[in-house]
Amino acid sequence: MGAGAVGTSVVDLAAEYGHTVTAFADSRSAAVAADGIDAAAATDRKEQDGVVGDADPDDALAGDYDVLVEATPTTLGDAQPGFGHVERALERDRHVVLANKGPVAERYGDVRALEQASAGDVRFEATVGGAMPVLSTIEDFGPDKITAVRGVLNGTANFILSRMAAEGLGYEHVLAEAQDLGVAEADPTFDVEGTDAALKCVIVANVLSGGDEEYALDDATVDGISDLPGSALDLANEDGRTIRLIGEVADGAVRVGPRLVPKHGALAVSGTRNIVQLETSHAGQLNVSGRGAGGPETATAVLADVDRLAD
């Protein structure tokens, strides 16, 4: 479900990973075939006509499949329609892989309750850090062995801060450049005000909590970068530091905001690159860095989760 950059990339790459796409849906249409859709035809039709097929999206949810990939846009509050898609799949004892952050950022307890009552499992590596294996690393170590998580979790905000620092340019100038390059959306609020990074940190907090406490966006303290003056970056530079939008989960709290970091330190990644630092009980600090967004990049995390379910 979902025919944006991530959903389309999953459809494009699925066969390469040994999987068959039995249905592909956007908000208005669907292509459905129990023995596998024509992926190229569906994606071409989406590009040319704005629909993926002649069927109804509900036909996709009611069709024959093992795993639902939920890649519709993230929504806040009730997390619909993504949450409803998850509910439909789990009630049919199907597995779910999420690229959509909403259900596990805003209704984590509800998702886990549905999973508990189902023969299906829910995985959501792609919701935090795109291609970076953040959640699977936490899973491998054990959430109770991770004492804190922090990092740069939004490529748009990081691109803007990197350019402001490197070129001495103002926020509005760099934002316009990012929009021209396609790095920033026409409405960049979700990224530059810290909401996207906060949702990712909330998901991490829910995983670390292990169900003892449920977090949602309202539980996070969030500050963005839109009011950050270029002079602040200049002053930081004089002191051998720079500023990055840092998300942090520690001591039961979720915080996102501009932070001073060493200019040549691990957290000072440039451009759209992301990094997450995991503080562990017995292995010190682990750094996971890479492409935190993008269609093919995020699709690799989705398909890795599908493979984990197969195993």
Side-chain angles (χ1 to χ4, degrees):
M1 302 297 292
V6 175
T8 299
S9 294
V10 170
V11 171
D12 287 340
L13 296 174
E16 190 175 325
Y17 284 73
H19 304 300
T20 300
V21 179
T22 61
F24 178 37
D26 59 17
S27 61
R28 297 186 296 146
S29 66
V32 182
D35 58 351
I37 68 166
D38 185 332
T43 55
D44 286 347
R45 187 169 178 188
K46 177 66 176 178
E47 186 174 340
Q48 294 169 11
D49 303 331
V51 295
V52 298
D54 297 318
D56 187 86
D58 196 63
D59 296 332
L61 288 169
D64 184 19
Y65 64 89
D66 300 305
V67 184
L68 169 70
V69 173
E70 218 307 320
T72 62
T74 295
T75 54
L76 305 181
D78 64 4
Q80 296 290 10
F83 178 82
H85 298 159
V86 173
E87 186 174 32
R88 285 277 301 274
L90 291 174
E91 285 177 346
R92 294 184 62 199
D93 292 323
R94 303 299 195 261
H95 300 303
V96 175
V97 171
L98 287 160
N100 178 352
K101 292 180 282 293
V104 279
E106 294 285 66
R107 301 186 65 173
Y108 187 80
D110 292 338
V111 170
R112 287 305 195 195
L114 287 167
E115 181 186 38
Q116 186 68 28
S118 173
D121 293 323
V122 180
R123 299 197 65 89
F124 43 96
E125 179 70 75
T127 63
V128 180
M132 301 191 309
V134 177
L135 298 182
S136 56
T137 301
I138 292 173
E139 181 180 39
D140 289 344
F141 266 76
D144 60 325
K145 301 298 190 296
I146 306 295
T147 57
V149 178
R150 71 181 59 84
V152 173
L153 282 162
N154 184 271
T156 299
N158 205 59
F159 176 89
I160 291 171
L161 290 173
S162 298
R163 289 286 292 154
M164 288 175 67
E167 303 296 334
L169 301 171
Y171 169 81
E172 295 294 342
H173 181 99
V174 177
L175 173 60
E177 178 187 23
Q179 289 169 326
D180 288 342
L181 292 171
V183 174
E185 301 286 348
D187 180 0
T189 305
F190 207 63
D191 298 311
V192 300
E193 295 304 334
T195 306
D196 176 68
L199 288 171
K200 294 169 183 175
C201 288
V202 164
I203 293 168
V204 169
N206 280 322
V207 171
L208 293 182
S209 170
D212 292 339
E213 186 173 353
E214 183 179 348
Y215 294 83
L217 183 60
D218 287 345
D219 299 309
T221 302
V222 187
D223 294 306
I225 65 168
S226 58
D227 294 328
L228 188 71
S231 58
L233 286 150
D234 294 337
L235 288 170
N237 184 58
E238 292 174 6
D239 195 34
R241 295 187 288 180
T242 190
I243 297 174
R244 292 291 183 266
L245 183 68
I246 302 295
E248 182 178 36
V249 181
D251 301 321
V254 178
R255 296 177 289 267
V256 175
R259 302 285 187 266
L260 286 166
V261 300
K263 187 176 179 180
H264 300 294
L267 290 175
V269 289
S270 61
T272 59
R273 196 169 185 83
N274 284 193
I275 185 170
V276 170
Q277 293 182 332
L278 306 175
E279 300 289 349
T280 72
S281 299
H282 308 295
Q285 185 183 93
L286 303 176
N287 291 343
V288 182
S289 183
R291 296 181 178 180
E297 294 85 351
T298 306
T300 63
V302 167
L303 291 163
D305 268 348
V306 175
D307 284 341
R308 292 183 185 102
L309 290 168
D311 290 342

